[in-house]
Amino acid sequence: MYGEAVALGAGTVLNALATGVGSAFAIDAETTARVELDDSGTVEGAIAGAPDGDTRLIRRCVERVVDRFGDGQGGHVRTESDVPMAAGLKSSSAAANATVLATLSALDVSVGDDAELDREAACRIGVAAARDAGVTVTGAFDDASASMLGGVTVTDNAADDLLAREAVDWDALVWTPPARAFSADADVARCERVAPMADLVAELALDGRYGEAMTVNGLAFSAALGFPTDPAVEAMPHADGVSLSGTGPSVVAVGDRDGLERVRDHWNQREGDTWLTTTRTDGARVIE
């Protein structure tokens, strides 16, 4: 029994650590999961390019799907990704979504609007697995829903409730410094101190003012998490919105390509990787 699926990375509009409400948007960076099930009863995992990588999340995704739809199968899951790990670009959510869909495919469980399981429900399996594995503080339904559904989403992560989703067509610029930051290590108490700003960001996002929401979020959470605001300030004259993505360290700007190319000139002078991409509205998918 074999299944293969792809899910998307994402950037942040609103970090959910302060209030539990979050917002994210899918970008054109993919994670692929390949799952082969057998009768071993145990699940093994591997991450391409990271032989010592933590596979708890992807193994738990397989286990949760098998617990619900299978018959005690074990097997092997392997992921490979364009999304850098621990960079704030939702690599864990993308890996979870891809693994869940690949495992469902291996079990011949259909996913879709008129299928046995819709994509929101499939996404929640990965969110639950992320909580089990301890790789997230909030459950990250905002990140996971953007990765799974595409477009921009606003969610209540405490209830795993999708508050809004909109298809958006943006160019995006990503700067990822060499340092890495794991979401589970974020200082939640400091993030909770910027809750009034997070409430404002949520209002802006639910009103469709995503660029303004991103910029307020980026300044507030950069301060809370100890990241410099200089990259955001450099982008503000040329971008519609710019934010620290997730718990960092990546910074993501959106806007028109000409403006983002000006931002890229600034960010290229910084250590790390800078790359232009676009949003995606199609979300995760099974590879037949």
Side-chain angles (χ1 to χ4, degrees):
M1 293 180 284
Y2 176 82
E4 186 173 345
V6 168
L8 305 176
T12 293
V13 175
L14 169 59
N15 188 314
L17 284 177
T19 66
V21 175
S23 177
F25 59 94
I27 60 173
D28 187 20
E30 295 186 339
T31 295
T32 302
R34 297 176 177 87
V35 172
E36 190 163 1
L37 299 179
D38 55 34
D39 295 327
S40 67
T42 60
V43 179
E44 297 180 349
I47 300 170
D52 298 322
D54 186 349
T55 62
R56 287 176 300 166
L57 172 59
I58 56 176
R59 288 186 284 115
R60 186 62 184 139
C61 285
V62 175
E63 291 166 354
R64 272 194 165 266
V65 174
V66 167
D67 287 348
R68 183 168 171 184
F69 297 99
D71 188 25
Q73 293 92 343
H76 185 270
V77 53
R78 176 181 172 85
T79 60
E80 57 183 290
S81 186
D82 302 329
V83 185
M85 294 195 314
L89 299 172
K90 326 309 182 188
S91 60
S92 294
S93 292
N97 283 335
T99 300
V100 167
L101 289 183
T103 310
L104 289 166
S105 178
L107 291 170
D108 292 323
V109 177
S110 58
V111 180
D113 292 340
D114 300 317
E116 187 172 353
L117 193 72
D118 66 33
R119 291 204 293 172
E120 276 187 52
C123 177
R124 290 185 179 95
I125 296 174
V127 169
R131 292 187 177 118
D132 292 345
V135 299
T136 176
V137 175
T138 68
F141 185 56
D142 50 341
D143 305 340
S145 61
S147 168
M148 178 69 83
L149 304 175
V152 59
T153 61
V154 184
T155 64
D156 178 348
N157 285 7
D160 291 340
D161 186 20
L162 182 65
L163 303 178
R165 176 183 176 270
E166 184 177 345
V168 292
D169 182 16
W170 302 334
D171 286 308
L173 180 71
V174 181
W175 171 62
T176 302
R180 291 293 181 263
F182 291 91
S183 298
D185 297 332
D187 189 335
V188 178
R190 282 187 59 84
C191 291
E192 289 173 343
R193 294 176 187 172
V194 300
M197 291 297 96
D199 288 336
L200 171 60
V201 174
E203 291 177 14
L204 291 169
L206 289 169
D207 197 35
R209 297 163 64 182
Y210 302 114
E212 295 165 80
M214 285 179 67
T215 303
V216 175
N217 178 85
L219 293 174
F221 281 92
S222 292
L225 293 168
F227 290 103
T229 57
D230 292 356
V233 173
E234 291 167 353
M236 285 180 194
H238 311 292
D240 294 337
V242 58
S243 183
L244 181 74
S245 196
T247 55
S250 294
V251 179
V252 180
V254 299
D256 66 72
R257 186 155 289 246
D258 288 344
L260 295 181
E261 287 174 348
R262 295 188 184 94
V263 179
R264 183 175 59 182
D265 292 340
H266 290 285
W267 288 0
N268 275 341
Q269 299 175 41
R270 297 181 172 276
E271 190 176 2
D273 297 319
T274 305
W275 41 288
L276 269 168
T277 184
T278 62
T279 54
R280 288 269 295 270
T281 60
D282 53 343
R285 70 188 188 281
V286 170
I287 299 175
E288 302 293 347

